[in-house]
Amino acid sequence: MTKTYNKIILCGAVLTTMALSAYIAKPNDPVFDNLDQSVSPGADFFKYANGGWLKRNPIPAAYSSWGIGNVVSEELRDRLKKINEDALAANAPKGTTTQKIGDFYFTGLDTVNIEKRGIDPLKAQLALIDQANDVPSILNAAAVLSTTGTRNVFGARVGQDAKNSAKMILQLGQAGLGLPNRDYYFKTDARTVKIRTDYTTNHLPTMLKLTGYDEQQAKAGAESIYRIEKFLADSSRKLEKLRDPYANYHKMTLAQLNALTPDVNWNTVFKAMELKPVDSVIVGQPEYYRALNTALKTFAAGDWKAYLRWKLIASYSPYLTKAVDDESFRFGGKVISGRKEQLPRWKRVLDTENGLMGEALGFLFVKEYFPVTAKRRYTDMVEAIRQAYREHIAKLDWMTPETKQKALVKLNAIHPKVGYPDKWKDFSTLVMDRESYAGNVMRARHWAYLVNINKLGKPVDHTEWGMTPQTYNASYSPSNNEITLPAAQFTIPGVKDSEVDDAVAYGYVAASTIGHEITHGFDDEGRQFDAKGNLKTWWTPTDSVRFTKRANMLADQFSSYVVLDSLHVNGKASLGENIADLGGIVLGIDAFKKTKQYKEGKLINGLTPMQRFFLGYALGWLGQERDEALANQILTDVHAPGFLRVNGPFSDVPEFYEAFHIKKGDKMWLDPAKRVKIW
């Protein structure tokens, strides 16, 4: 009993004789096995919960971060590798999914052929760029390149009209940059300056030389590219400004769009982009397109040719020769993310295939790896969270009855997609062969592009999934008012779903995923959409003021956290995610309190059910990042770092203080007056 006693004292549980009789020893415990017993829960709960695992699992050289998502991905890759190897050996009939998977995998691994072909797969695109000598031909080249996945000055896609969610409409957003976002062009801290210097004096010239430019052309071209990008960046919005749905909604007729940018003939551009006739468009950031119009007149055709060559080679670098791929990784993988080496080639090929044909792989994946019992468990959990949310709304002391009623209508209308689609994507028109890896990628990108733009003017397909079943992630769609919960998101590495107790499952899934995504429908951005997914005011002014006051408290709380050097969390940019985290936790707690495990109160490995709930939640953010990746995340990501997604919201939750006996003077302690309660 000595070992058990030590475990129990560490967790703050005081055992009576009766409690000891209810103690359960659980082997292969996904939360107890991760503990760092040298850290107090009140000092740093993230390290207490995950520190043991982190000490045993340093970041591998090929990664910029390492955590539970990576371990799940490794398991998934092994399973997908078997699917691909079986397809490779199947000699399947042409046109079948198995043939397409096998041929794609074959070309990705065929490095001899890749080296032999050099940059020939881009020959037609490079010729198109070389022939562009004026504004119309530059725009034509940019438009054509965008149809096969080369991102450049046009941020175009077809999506739901935010104010009329039943309509699919063309949307234009800011684009055109080569560095991760606009702040990289202007920040003056040493870390960002070092990245910018490498980009302009090393990376850009090297990549241009790999397209065929000589030394002088490459140096001049790099200078031109940077001037164009910085000019566009100056009229690009900051991360937090992109989160206001009203401020990023500007619906225009085609005539109004042409008037906004008089040097861009959008009729011609849209035709080159293979679009059907366009009568109206939503422009997210008009100032960006005004700047683009000016840039087209300011910079010479030669400048734009260098820019488009750069965009093309950057877009296809992972699928070309080792020299191109290595330089792309040196800058993007090492300088930006801090990785030390590339992943093995087979893993990179699988990741690419997953991005292009993920649902084809997913169909084969779920048949073998996601049982019906798991789908049922998490479908039921969605409803448990929904019921907890209903009860929370009813008890809110800051929301008026009028808005409560509308909130309940929206909550009840949320549609959950759990595990995998009921209707799978049709890949029958996608052509794959064994000739060229870059060629296969190009065709797959064009196929996906056509799938997107052919939605223009058609009814919204609510059966379509935006994620594959084997994706370790989840999402909420404001326009569809739906949550998507892929099968892989429920995975705990090395543990069968049937072996995961409810306490851990409710923390790991119900709180950090299901409750989180449902709360996104009521965060600072999602709350502005109604039950049908339309951007529409449905709150009373009083309710909006009260909500905003509480939300601003949370933004201030997170902005106070210093992450690295002088870098703070951007509390405004990450506000939606932080609201969703906090909401998910409190909803998960109340849903869990209704379970048999919570009511019985039995200890497992010295941990109470509520302690295991919080540890289950922390398990969802198990991981660590290199400094380079952490700095990049602060500047470019609306999510706070994982350790703060645990420690931050836990400091606002009363049950956390009770479960781990957090007291004043502990680092995790937050004065009651400063604790945020929204939902």
Side-chain angles (χ1 to χ4, degrees), residues 112-424:
V112 173
N113 188 46
I114 291 170
E115 292 299 320
K116 181 181 176 182
R117 287 181 174 271
I119 62 168
D120 280 356
L122 307 183
K123 188 183 296 183
Q125 287 87 349
L126 287 169
L128 181 68
I129 294 168
D130 288 341
Q131 293 161 12
N133 292 306
D134 55 20
V135 170
S137 55
I138 291 292
L139 289 170
N140 178 71
V144 172
L145 290 173
S146 68
T147 68
T148 51
T150 294
R151 297 175 180 175
N152 51 80
V153 294
F154 300 125
R157 68 178 185 89
V158 173
Q160 287 165 274
D161 185 334
K163 293 187 178 181
N164 181 8
S165 62
K167 184 176 181 181
M168 300 296 286
I169 189 170
L170 183 65
Q171 309 197 22
L172 295 175
Q174 65 187 42
L177 308 184
L179 288 170
N181 75 0
R182 55 98 55 210
D183 287 349
Y184 277 80
Y185 294 86
F186 303 109
K187 285 181 68 67
T188 57
D189 62 283
R191 188 183 300 274
T192 308
V193 169
K194 183 179 178 181
I195 291 171
R196 194 160 58 230
T197 301
D198 188 300
Y199 183 66
T200 54
T201 63
N202 193 356
H203 184 54
L204 287 176
T206 301
M207 292 295 275
L208 285 176
K209 281 188 282 187
L210 290 166
T211 71
Y213 272 10
D214 63 28
E215 190 82 31
Q216 187 175 351
Q217 287 175 310
K219 182 180 178 182
E223 293 171 355
S224 297
I225 292 164
Y226 185 73
R227 287 198 305 270
I228 289 173
E229 290 183 353
K230 187 175 182 181
F231 187 89
L232 296 175
D234 194 42
S235 292
S236 298
R237 296 187 185 179
K238 288 179 174 285
L239 190 61
E240 60 268 27
K241 296 295 185 183
L242 294 171
R243 297 195 63 255
D244 184 336
Y246 282 99
N248 290 277
Y249 183 97
H250 306 274
K251 195 169 186 177
M252 301 180 183
T253 64
L254 191 57
Q256 288 172 321
L257 179 61
N258 280 320
L260 177 73
T261 55
D263 292 282
V264 180
N265 185 327
W266 288 102
N267 305 66
T268 305
V269 167
F270 290 154
K271 186 176 180 180
M273 294 176 78
E274 304 179 48
L275 286 159
K276 299 172 184 175
V278 174
D279 56 7
S280 58
V281 61
I282 295 171
V283 180
Q285 302 78 35
E287 67 274 23
Y288 167 82
Y289 284 93
R290 279 193 292 267
L292 172 60
N293 189 82
T294 302
L296 290 166
K297 296 181 292 184
T298 303
F299 299 99
D303 298 329
W304 284 107
K305 286 183 181 184
Y307 172 86
L308 291 175
R309 288 178 82 92
W310 149 238
K311 287 297 180 185
L312 177 63
I313 195 75
S315 181
Y316 279 89
S317 57
Y319 324 116
L320 298 170
T321 64
K322 186 177 186 300
V324 178
D325 188 24
D326 283 352
E327 173 55 25
S328 178
F329 173 76
R330 185 201 66 79
F331 183 74
K334 292 184 177 180
V335 176
I336 295 290
S337 301
R339 292 160 60 192
K340 308 301 181 186
E341 63 185 38
Q342 288 251 48
L343 286 170
R345 186 165 191 89
W346 70 268
K347 291 184 180 183
R348 287 180 276 146
V349 173
L350 279 184
D351 290 349
T352 300
E353 183 184 50
N354 232 342
L356 297 170
M357 296 189 291
E359 211 164 286
L361 290 169
F363 178 74
L364 301 174
F365 168 80
V366 297
K367 286 200 296 185
E368 190 167 353
Y369 299 111
F370 190 65
V372 174
T373 51
K375 184 178 175 79
R376 189 181 306 120
R377 180 184 196 181
Y378 297 112
T379 300
D380 291 344
M381 205 174 277
V382 170
E383 295 313 312
I385 290 292
R386 198 194 309 257
Q387 180 56 31
Y389 214 150
R390 292 187 187 107
E391 295 165 6
H392 275 239
I393 290 171
K395 294 175 184 176
L396 289 177
D397 60 2
W398 58 266
M399 182 177 275
T400 61
E402 178 186 349
T403 304
K404 283 184 179 182
Q405 191 58 41
K406 293 177 180 176
L408 288 170
V409 170
K410 179 172 183 177
L411 175 64
N412 292 334
I414 291 176
H415 173 63
K417 293 178 173 178
V418 181
Y420 51 83
D422 296 319
K423 176 186 173 184
W424 296 87

Side-chain angles (χ1 to χ4, degrees), residues 407-469:
L408 288 170
V409 170
K410 179 172 183 177
L411 175 64
N412 292 334
I414 291 176
H415 173 63
K417 293 178 173 178
V418 181
Y420 51 83
D422 296 319
K423 176 186 173 184
W424 296 87
K425 277 189 174 71
D426 179 7
F427 288 87
S428 60
T429 58
L430 174 61
V431 176
M432 289 284 145
D433 59 32
R434 297 198 173 193
E435 296 299 313
S436 165
Y437 186 37
N440 278 336
V441 171
M442 196 173 293
R443 279 193 300 275
R445 285 180 169 182
H446 187 235
W447 178 87
Y449 175 80
L450 292 178
V451 168
N452 177 253
I453 66 168
N454 285 335
K455 295 175 183 176
L456 188 62
K458 293 181 180 177
V460 176
D461 182 1
H462 291 285
T463 68
E464 184 179 26
W465 276 49
M467 292 183 173
T468 68

Side-chain angles (χ1 to χ4, degrees), residues 558-592:
F558 273 82
S559 291
S560 70
Y561 296 133
V562 179
V563 177
L564 186 70
D565 304 332
S566 60
L567 289 174
H568 287 245
V569 172
N570 187 332
K572 290 182 178 179
S574 61
L575 180 58
E577 297 299 331
N578 298 331
I579 290 172
D581 284 341
L582 180 56
I585 292 164
V586 297
L587 294 172
I589 287 170
D590 280 3
F592 173 57

